[in-house]
Amino acid sequence: MNARANPLLETPARPLPRHVAVIGAGAIGPDIAYYLKTALPGLKVTLLDVRQEAIDAALARLAGYVDKAVQRGKMGTEQARHALEGLEGSTDYGALAGCDWVLEAATEDLALKRRIFADVEARVASDAVITSNTSSLPAGRIFADLKHPRRATVTHFFAPAWRNPAVEVIAWPGADHALVAWLRRLFAATGKLPLATSDAPCFVLDRVFDNWCNEAALLLAGATAAQVDSVAGEFVHAGPFFVLNLAHGNPIIVETNNLQADEEGEHYRPASIFRSVERWHTVAPGRQVEVPPELRERIRDRLLGVLLSQAVDIVDRGIGGAADLDLGCRIALGFRRGPLELMRELGEAECARVLRRFAAERPGMPSAQRPLAQYQPAERHVLVDDADRVKVITLRRPEALNALHDEMTDEILAVIRRHEADPRVAGFVIVGYGTKAFCAGADIGRFPSLLGDADAAAQYARDCSRLLVHLDRSPKPVVAALNGMALGGGLELAMRCHAIVADRRAVMQLPEVGLGIVPGIGAMVVPYRRWPRAAAVLHGMLTRGERLRAGQAQELGIVDELADGYQDLVTRAVARVHALAGAVRPISDGPVAVPAFEPVPPAEAGMRSAAIVALIEQAVREAAAATTLGEALEIGYRAFGTAACTAAAREGIAAFLAKRSPDFAATG
């Protein structure tokens, strides 16, 4: 069975769970229960533990989570009631009766886990799902004695489990492929990032983290914990010793690295200092202590060495995929860049030097088995699937709501170019990962450097349009499938596709005016030529940042078809590709008429810049009068450059970066 790269494209093998039991009310079990309870309304969740006091403390903790969410405005009172309704605790395994999923989150003890699952299997139906939250023990060992092992696997969550999106789903040989696909799909549909791994000890992410921490401890023969964490700050948001303090993680490193040492060699044996230290004297994230240059270089090379060594080993042995490795390290472990991203940035010569030094200092640790360039994934930020002769391209940057940046843009373009001449490919669908966002716009990271430079900003807009201009000329249909919000540059991408299919809950918005800038890659041009009867609504979106819901967009002809849910959305988008085959219509070249803009009400004057609103109105009128599409688009690029030189842009971007509301009253 070939698994889909995008789990949401899988056909579910079973319905959503109705009753889940979480065994272990200690550290992570209650957090897993809270995630499930808030993600699946109406779900019954039973917390099971041998100690009543642990259950009482866990239920109190979850009630505290709900209270805090209500106080912060992240949860309404009705949501809060549903979050706690159907949540119960028990010390009696008889409470498992009727469960369709039992998730174990007990201590990392193989014998204990086997006893637990023997008790579980005696009390649940033969098709009930059984999973373990182990961070290191192979599924093949945990479930070896089950009568029905095909319904069991490991689902490894990361702390805090209700907020950290990463979860490893282990595709071990004994598990039913349909079970693994169902779990991945369920996690993706509920806001998680499921990462498929093979059944190696410690899987992917703990293999990286535990050896990173162990190597840090081995460095303490010549450095302090604070010095190691200071150097590590180049690569991670929080150093290894700070994280170990936070997670009380010393025993975990001892346990997991002993497991790896027993399996793979003594070079994995944990540093002896872990057994004698309970808490490390270190610095908080962002803080530094003085580290002499020679020592800094030694620490840096050693930390880089173990990171690169583990990365190449994971890819060489097929424990996990290259793109998942990088993404998981960023999202679950707090690395600033994934190890393979670091490898690419540092260059082959520097990485080879680091790995040579690491091999000399740490004999036996893995080394690259092929040229380093071959470890880079073909696509880092998009997933590619096949559906009825259509390439489904999924935008996958969940940490940024699938926002576009240069690398993602190039990956989308490369996939289309690779297949557009293939007669076996009918066309393309572009969809976002997850259920929240199609694409939340363009990364704002480069904007500050463009402020005050009209030519550079205009060229940036032209460069960002390379994918969109290619779509304008594409003979094969490209359909946008809006699975959630489409904002700014994300909506501009959808507008350049040859058709738009949208989930009924999808929302479209051009929020640039609230940033003191203009949407410079087509939104002031293309929609007026494609959907002239929507002009008045487009005016409001551009100058007031008004939202457009999918149903209204369909009434205006912007959206071609509405869908109910992700699978229906992609199915309809694929069908739309086939319907458009040989009938792709180019965007109109000739001038178009646009109605007058309504004046901005005085009460809203401080909410958006009059200068930016005037610039948008002027650009729309000039682009509408242009005799070619290329000329019209150029007007939009130049308008973006002009906007970058305004006080409004400086205020809007500064406010966004500072996470405050902009005040355009004094910017003109």
Side-chain angles (χ1 to χ4, degrees), residues 202-291:
C202 301
F203 316 120
V204 169
L205 296 181
D206 261 50
R207 183 170 283 268
V208 171
F209 177 73
D210 296 345
N211 285 297
W212 167 262
C213 291
N214 193 45
E215 214 60 43
L218 292 171
L219 284 164
L220 295 180
T224 67
Q227 287 174 323
V228 173
D229 273 7
S230 294
V231 176
E234 177 185 349
F235 308 113
V236 288
H237 295 287
F241 293 109
F242 181 87
V243 175
L244 287 170
N245 283 344
L246 202 65
H248 307 289
N250 292 3
I252 297 172
I253 306 301
V254 171
E255 179 182 338
T256 56
N257 276 68
N258 273 327
L259 177 64
Q260 288 183 82
D262 293 342
E263 291 282 328
E264 299 171 21
E266 285 300 310
H267 45 279
Y268 280 113
R269 197 66 68 187
S272 58
I273 195 171
F274 280 119
R275 293 184 174 84
S276 58
V277 173
E278 185 174 334
R279 191 164 185 83
W280 307 98
H281 297 291
T282 187
V283 290
R287 302 284 297 275
Q288 293 270 318
V289 298
E290 185 176 347
V291 185

Side-chain angles (χ1 to χ4, degrees), residues 273-509:
I273 195 171
F274 280 119
R275 293 184 174 84
S276 58
V277 173
E278 185 174 334
R279 191 164 185 83
W280 307 98
H281 297 291
T282 187
V283 290
R287 302 284 297 275
Q288 293 270 318
V289 298
E290 185 176 347
V291 185
E294 188 175 336
L295 178 59
R296 177 176 290 275
E297 181 185 342
R298 178 170 175 262
I299 295 170
R300 184 179 186 275
D301 275 4
R302 191 73 165 268
L303 292 178
L304 261 178
V306 72
L307 190 59
L308 298 181
S309 168
Q310 290 305 304
V312 297
D313 189 47
I314 287 165
V315 175
D316 280 333
R317 294 167 57 191
I319 302 173
D324 277 3
L325 167 64
D326 272 354
L327 184 56
C329 283
R330 292 199 313 269
I331 286 184
L333 304 182
F335 279 84
R336 298 182 189 277
R337 291 174 298 284
L340 301 179
E341 291 176 284
L342 266 174
M343 183 184 290
R344 183 184 59 183
E345 289 180 17
L346 292 170
E348 190 158 346
E350 173 63 4
C351 290
R353 181 195 68 78
V354 168
L355 284 168
R356 280 195 303 271
R357 180 174 183 178
F358 186 67
E361 294 179 357
R362 297 283 281 122
M365 292 296 273
S367 287
Q369 302 299 304
R370 50 183 133 158
L372 293 179
Q374 293 183 15
Y375 289 93
Q376 298 302 318
E379 289 89 28
R380 202 174 244 108
H381 305 290
V382 303
L383 305 173
V384 183
D385 284 290
D386 293 300
D388 190 18
R389 297 179 49 243
V390 171
K391 294 291 179 182
V392 179
I393 303 170
T394 302
L395 315 181
R396 187 177 71 153
R397 291 189 67 217
E399 73 275 33
L401 291 174
N402 305 323
L404 292 164
H405 61 2
D406 283 344
E407 193 170 350
M408 178 188 272
T409 296
D410 286 338
E411 287 182 7
I412 302 167
L413 187 54
V415 172
I416 291 173
R417 283 177 168 159
R418 191 160 66 239
H419 298 290
E420 63 188 352
D422 186 344
R424 296 168 297 180
V425 175
F428 306 88
V429 167
I430 301 177
V431 67
Y433 182 86
T435 58
K436 287 185 179 179
F438 169 73
C439 176
D443 264 355
I444 205 168
R446 282 191 55 191
F447 285 14
S449 66
L450 301 171
L451 296 175
D453 191 332
D455 290 341
Q459 188 57 48
Y460 173 74
R462 292 185 195 97
D463 293 342
C464 287
S465 295
R466 59 194 179 277
L467 167 62
L468 310 188
V469 171
H470 188 86
L471 295 182
D472 295 340
R473 299 191 297 260
S474 175
K476 286 190 175 175
V478 182
V479 174
L482 306 189
N483 55 301
M485 67 180 81
L487 310 181
L491 180 53
E492 290 181 290
L493 168 59
M495 288 174 171
R496 302 293 267 280
C497 293
H498 305 116
I500 300 175
V501 178
D503 185 278
R504 291 181 190 278
R505 296 167 296 179
V507 174
M508 288 147 268
Q509 188 180 21

